[in-house]
Amino acid sequence: MSARTTLADVAAAAGVSRSTASRVLAGTDRNVDERLAKRVLAVSEQLGYRTNPVARALRRRSTDTFGILVPSLRNPYFVQLVDAFTRVAGDAGLGVVLADSGDDPDTEAARLDAFHESFVDGIVVVPTSQSRSGTAIRKAGERTRIIQLDRWSDDAGCGFVGIDNHAGVQFVVEHLRSSGRERIAYVGAEQESSAGAERLAAFRALSRPGDTVIMLPRFALSAGHDAARRMLGSGPLPDAAMCAADVLAVGMLSTLQREGVDIPADIAITGFDGTDLLELVNPSITTLHHRLDALAQQVVGYLVGEPTVGEVRIQPELVVRGSTAPGLLEKSSRQLRAMRVEAR
Amino acid sequence: MSARTTLADVAAAAGVSRSTASRVLAGTDRNVDERLAKRVLAVSEQLGYRTNPVARALRRRSTDTFGILVPSLRNPYFVQLVDAFTRVAGDAGLGVVLADSGDDPDTEAARLDAFHESFVDGIVVVPTSQSRSGTAIRKAGERTRIIQLDRWSDDAGCGFVGIDNHAGVQFVVEHLRSSGRERIAYVGAEQESSAGAERLAAFRALSRPGDTVIMLPRFALSAGHDAARRMLGSGPLPDAAMCAADVLAVGMLSTLQREGVDIPADIAITGFDGTDLLELVNPSITTLHHRLDALAQQVVGYLVGEPTVGEVRIQPELVVRGSTAPGLLEKSSRQLRAMRVEAR
DNA sequence: CTGAAAGCGCTTACAG
DNA sequence: CTGAAAGCGCTTACAG
C-alpha cells in the first residue's frame, strides 16, 4: 500500500518524456527507438510500475470492462453462462462485472441503471421476463451498448445470442421416440422466459397423441417433486418425462426413485441445459449440451465489434446418459469421472 | 449512446460554477444555498446527467469497488458466498468484481495480479490452497487491501473471516449421537483447504470407537458415489455418514438409495454448508446453515474500516431434515416450499 | 456560501 | 522518432 509509482516516475528515471514512456508501456505506438524502449521497460520493471487503469480509462474513454446481469445466481445454468462469458472475455483482455436481478424485473431495471454508476463499456443481460424486461433494456441501450443472452424480451431493441431451443426439443423428442418411448410428458413451468415459451411451442409442434404437458406454477426447487407426485397420482405413468430445466429433472428423478419407480426402465427422464447437477444423481441424466463458449464468443464479438440488432442461435448437442439408456450406465459413470467437477 | 452530459454542462445550464454543481451532485458538502442546490438538481435531472464514475474515481483515488476471488464457481457454496457478499456490498454502495481461480493456485496468483489492472480498492479471496496460496496473497497485500474469506492460507499475512468449523462438526456429531447413531463415518477429501483440515481435526477429536474416516482422493462430483461404493463394499454399513461437503452428501444419498439402502432408517446422512442442492433430493439432507450475510458484513466492515490481521469466526446453525430424522420428512418438505429456489 | 484553479494519472494530436 | 501541451471529467483545498 506504499505510494504508487506513476508514469511520470518511470519517465523521469528513464530520462524520457511521459509521452515516450506511455508509448512504450501502453504499446500503442511502435515507433520508439529501441534503446529508449528497453530503458523504459527496464526502469518500469525495476520500479514495479503498473498503469493506473482508472486514469487510462478516463483518457481513453473506455474501460474494457463489461457488465453481465443474470436473473439469479441460484440457478446453476446462469452460473455456467457467467463463467463462460468471464473466461472468454478475460482471454480477450476484457474485465467483467457481475450482477443478478433476483429474478425480479424491477430489481433488474435498477441493476441495469446501476451499471452506469460503474465502470462498464457495455452490458450483457439475460432478461428475467419476456414481457416485462424490454423497457428497461431499451432504456439502457440508449446510453450504452447492450446485448441479450440466452433469453430475449419484447421491444428490447437490441441484439440477441442464444441457443436454438426448437432444435434442442427436437433432438430430445427424437431420441426418446427412437428408443421406443411413446407417451412423453413435457414438464415445464409457467414462466416468463422466452426460452421456456420456445421450448413449449416446439414440443407442441412435435407432440403426438399420448403425449402430455405438465405445467408447474413456478420453477421452484420443489417443482420436480410436485411434478412427480402429480404424475404418480393421475393414471398410468408416461414412459418419458422431458423436463424443460435441469432442476426439474433432478427433483423428479429422486422423488420417482423414492416411490420405487425404475429409471430408465419404467420412465425415461431428460434435462435441458447440461448443468453439472445432472451428474450428481444416479443414473445421471440425459440432457442437451450447450456450447457456452461459442455463445460467449458471439457476445464478446458483438460487444467489441459493430452493434447489431440481429439474432444468433447456437445448436445444442444431445448428451445421452443413463436416465434414458440403461446400457449406458457404465459409460456414463466413466464420462462422469472425466468431466470432473470439484466441490469444496 | 449520445454524447454524454458532463458536470460542466449542468453547471453552465444552472448558471453556477463546476465546484458548486459538484458539491450539490456529489452530496459531499452540505453548505450550499438551497435555491442554487435546487436549480442544480433540476437541471441535472432534466439533462439526464450522470456522474462519470471513472473521473470521480481518478480524482478521489478510490473506486468503491472490490474484487472477490473464489476457487470455483462450479461449487454452489462459493456461489452463495459471492451472492451474499455482492448483496451486502451493494447495500453499502460498493461495487463488486468477480473472478475465479479454476481451483488452481497459479491461476489464483494471476487473477490476484489482474485485479491491479482493474478498478478495485481491495480484494476478498477464498484461497484455493492452505499451503500454496499464501505467497501470492501476501504479495497482493503489499499493494492493496485484502482479506481471506471462508478459508485461510499459511503466511498470507492478512485478516480472515470464516465459519467455526469445530463448532459445526460438534453440532452434527451431537445431533447424530443423540438420535442414537453409534458408528459415524466421516466422509471427506484429501484437499488443500483449511476448512477441510479443521473439520477433519474436529471430528477426530470427537470420535469414538466404531467411528471411521473415509477420505476420497479428491472432491470430484463422483466422490459421493465412490464413497458410497466403498462403504457398501467393506463390512457392515455405518449408521451415519457425516459428509464434509454438500456435494458428497448428495452423491452418496442417490447411490445408496439406488442400492436399496433406506435413508435415514439404515443410515443417516449429513452435509455441511447448507447449499440449495440438499433440498433437491428426497429426503432432503440435514446440514449446517451458515449465516453468509453475517460473514459478508464482517468482510465489508473490514474492507471499508481499519485493516487488521485478526480472525473472525461465525457460528453455524444445525438444520435438521429428513436424512437424519424420519419424522421430519413432512416438515422438511414444507420448509422446502418456503425456501423456494427457482430454476430457469 | 461560492468560484477559480490545481490536479488525479494517463494518452494523443501536434509540432518539430 | 520525441517532447511539450492539452485534456479526459471530476473533486477539493484555497482564497474571497
Side-chain angles (χ1 to χ4, degrees):
Chain A
M1 298 227 240
S2 53
R4 212 168 153 143
T5 307
T6 106
L7 183 69
D9 298 333
V10 174
V16 300
S17 69
R18 280 149 60 218
S19 320
T20 300
S22 171
R23 281 191 271 257
V24 174
L25 265 8
T28 166
D29 192 342
R30 302 277 71 197
N31 296 125
V32 176
D33 181 274
E34 210 176 310
R35 310 243 287 286
L36 285 192
K38 260 189 189 147
R39 216 155 71 206
V40 170
L41 254 13
V43 169
S44 159
E45 169 92 5
Q46 183 194 327
L47 265 45
Y49 170 72
R50 312 285 294 237
T51 301
N52 179 327
V54 177
R56 167 176 288 176
L58 178 58
R59 180 58 229 232
R60 288 197 176 158
R61 316 174 117 228
S62 154
T63 60
D64 289 339
T65 296
F66 292 89
I68 180 167
L69 181 60
V70 297
S72 163
L73 287 176
R74 315 196 77 155
N75 184 327
Y77 177 63
F78 296 138
V79 173
Q80 295 189 192
L81 224 43
V82 167
D83 199 20
F85 177 67
T86 305
R87 193 161 5 89
V88 171
D91 289 347
L94 306 173
V96 172
V97 178
L98 171 68
D100 84 275
S101 346
D103 269 317
D104 170 48
D106 295 332
T107 309
E108 180 175 57
R111 294 279 180 282
L112 243 21
D113 203 54
F115 270 136
H116 293 293
E117 245 81 287
S118 118
F119 305 86
V120 304
D121 281 351
I123 301 172
V124 10
V125 58
V126 180
T128 56
S129 160
Q130 183 178 339
S131 62
R132 299 173 57 203
S133 294
T135 312
I137 293 175
R138 170 180 288 279
K139 192 162 148 259
E142 289 166 10
R143 296 171 157 278
T144 188
R145 185 169 293 208
I146 191 164
I147 183 171
Q148 298 173 105
L149 175 59
D150 191 63
R151 283 145 62 143
W152 49 267
S153 55
D154 300 329
D155 303 317
C158 68
F160 167 74
V161 173
I163 61 163
D164 185 338
N165 287 303
H166 186 91
V169 170
Q170 189 177 336
F171 294 159
V172 171
V173 169
E174 280 171 1
H175 166 61
L176 291 172
R177 296 236 198 274
S178 75
S179 33
R181 312 287 171 169
E182 297 185 331
R183 284 163 302 115
I184 305 177
Y186 175 93
V187 182
E190 282 154 18
Q191 195 208 209
E192 278 279 296
S193 97
S194 64
E198 289 174 356
R199 290 169 195 184
L200 178 57
F203 180 76
R204 289 228 147 97
L206 294 168
S207 73
R208 296 188 188 160
D211 293 345
T212 48
V213 168
I214 299 181
M215 292 301 277
L216 284 313
R218 35 189 330 168
F219 262 134
L221 235 197
S222 55
H225 304 298
D226 295 346
R229 277 184 219 114
R230 203 186 294 186
M231 227 174 231
L232 290 164
S234 62
L237 218 55
D239 57 14
M242 165 174 184
C243 300
D246 291 350
V247 189
L248 290 178
V250 174
M252 180 161 246
L253 177 124
S254 88
T255 302
L256 288 176
Q257 282 183 338
R258 191 80 188 143
E259 299 294 331
V261 176
D262 187 310
I263 294 151
D266 299 334
I267 182 172
I269 294 183
T270 62
F272 208 98
D273 296 319
T275 281
D276 297 333
L277 234 48
L278 301 179
E279 300 174 68
L280 211 57
V281 290
N282 193 355
S284 57
I285 299 176
T286 292
T287 188
L288 294 160
H289 169 71
H290 301 152
R291 297 172 45 235
L292 301 184
D293 275 28
L295 281 177
Q297 207 78 60
Q298 290 287 337
V299 169
V300 168
Y302 171 89
L303 290 173
V304 301
E306 283 309 305
T308 15
V309 291
E311 149 174 344
V312 174
R313 297 275 185 172
I314 305 273
Q315 287 253 335
E317 291 154 16
L318 187 71
V319 180
V320 177
R321 299 209 184 98
S323 72
T324 60
L328 287 183
L329 270 172
E330 178 61 21
K331 181 179 167 201
S332 149
S333 93
R334 222 182 287 130
Q335 286 177 341
L336 199 151
R337 215 152 304 152
M339 303 178 63
R340 181 181 49 75
V341 176
E342 69 27 272
R344 102 199 208 100
Chain B
M1 298 227 239
S2 53
R4 213 168 150 141
T5 307
T6 104
L7 183 70
D9 298 334
V10 175
V16 299
S17 70
R18 279 148 62 219
S19 321
T20 299
S22 171
R23 281 191 272 258
V24 174
L25 265 8
T28 167
D29 193 342
R30 303 275 72 196
N31 297 125
V32 175
D33 182 275
E34 209 175 312
R35 309 241 290 285
L36 285 193
K38 260 189 190 148
R39 216 156 71 207
V40 170
L41 254 12
V43 170
S44 160
E45 168 92 7
Q46 183 194 327
L47 263 45
Y49 170 73
R50 313 286 293 237
T51 302
N52 179 327
V54 176
R56 165 175 289 176
L58 178 59
R59 179 60 229 232
R60 288 196 176 159
R61 314 173 118 227
S62 154
T63 59
D64 290 339
T65 296
F66 292 88
I68 180 167
L69 180 61
V70 296
S72 165
L73 287 176
R74 315 194 77 156
N75 185 327
Y77 177 63
F78 296 138
V79 173
Q80 294 188 194
L81 225 41
V82 167
D83 199 20
F85 176 67
T86 305
R87 193 161 5 88
V88 172
D91 289 347
L94 306 172
V96 172
V97 179
L98 170 69
D100 83 276
S101 345
D103 269 317
D104 170 49
D106 295 332
T107 308
E108 180 176 55
R111 294 279 181 283
L112 242 21
D113 204 54
F115 270 137
H116 293 294
E117 246 82 287
S118 118
F119 305 86
V120 304
D121 282 350
I123 301 172
V124 11
V125 58
V126 181
T128 56
S129 160
Q130 184 179 338
S131 62
R132 298 173 60 200
S133 293
T135 312
I137 293 175
R138 171 179 285 280
K139 193 161 148 258
E142 290 165 8
R143 296 172 158 279
T144 188
R145 183 168 294 208
I146 192 165
I147 183 170
Q148 298 173 103
L149 175 60
D150 190 63
R151 284 146 59 144
W152 49 267
S153 56
D154 301 329
D155 303 316
C158 68
F160 167 74
V161 174
I163 60 162
D164 185 338
N165 287 302
H166 187 91
V169 170
Q170 190 178 335
F171 295 158
V172 172
V173 169
E174 280 171 2
H175 166 61
L176 291 173
R177 298 237 198 272
S178 75
S179 34
R181 310 289 171 168
E182 297 185 332
R183 285 163 302 115
I184 305 176
Y186 176 93
V187 182
E190 283 153 17
Q191 198 208 204
E192 279 279 294
S193 97
S194 64
E198 289 174 355
R199 290 169 194 184
L200 179 56
F203 180 76
R204 288 227 146 98
L206 295 168
S207 74
R208 295 186 187 162
D211 292 347
T212 47
V213 168
I214 299 181
M215 292 299 279
L216 282 315
R218 37 188 328 167
F219 263 133
L221 235 197
S222 54
H225 303 299
D226 295 347
R229 278 185 218 113
R230 204 187 290 187
M231 228 175 231
L232 290 164
S234 60
L237 218 54
D239 57 14
M242 164 174 185
C243 300
D246 290 349
V247 189
L248 290 178
V250 174
M252 180 161 246
L253 178 124
S254 88
T255 302
L256 288 175
Q257 283 183 337
R258 191 77 188 146
E259 298 295 330
V261 176
D262 187 308
I263 293 152
D266 298 334
I267 182 172
I269 294 183
T270 62
F272 207 99
D273 296 320
T275 280
D276 297 333
L277 234 45
L278 301 179
E279 299 173 68
L280 211 56
V281 290
N282 192 357
S284 57
I285 299 177
T286 291
T287 188
L288 294 159
H289 170 69
H290 301 152
R291 296 171 45 233
L292 302 184
D293 276 28
L295 281 177
Q297 207 76 60
Q298 289 288 338
V299 169
V300 168
Y302 171 90
L303 290 173
V304 301
E306 284 310 303
T308 15
V309 291
E311 150 176 340
V312 174
R313 297 276 184 171
I314 306 271
Q315 288 252 335
E317 291 154 17
L318 187 71
V319 180
V320 177
R321 299 208 185 99
S323 72
T324 60
L328 288 182
L329 270 170
E330 178 58 22
K331 181 180 167 199
S332 147
S333 92
R334 222 180 287 129
Q335 286 178 340
L336 199 151
R337 214 152 307 152
M339 305 177 63
R340 180 180 50 74
V341 177
E342 68 27 271
R344 102 201 209 95

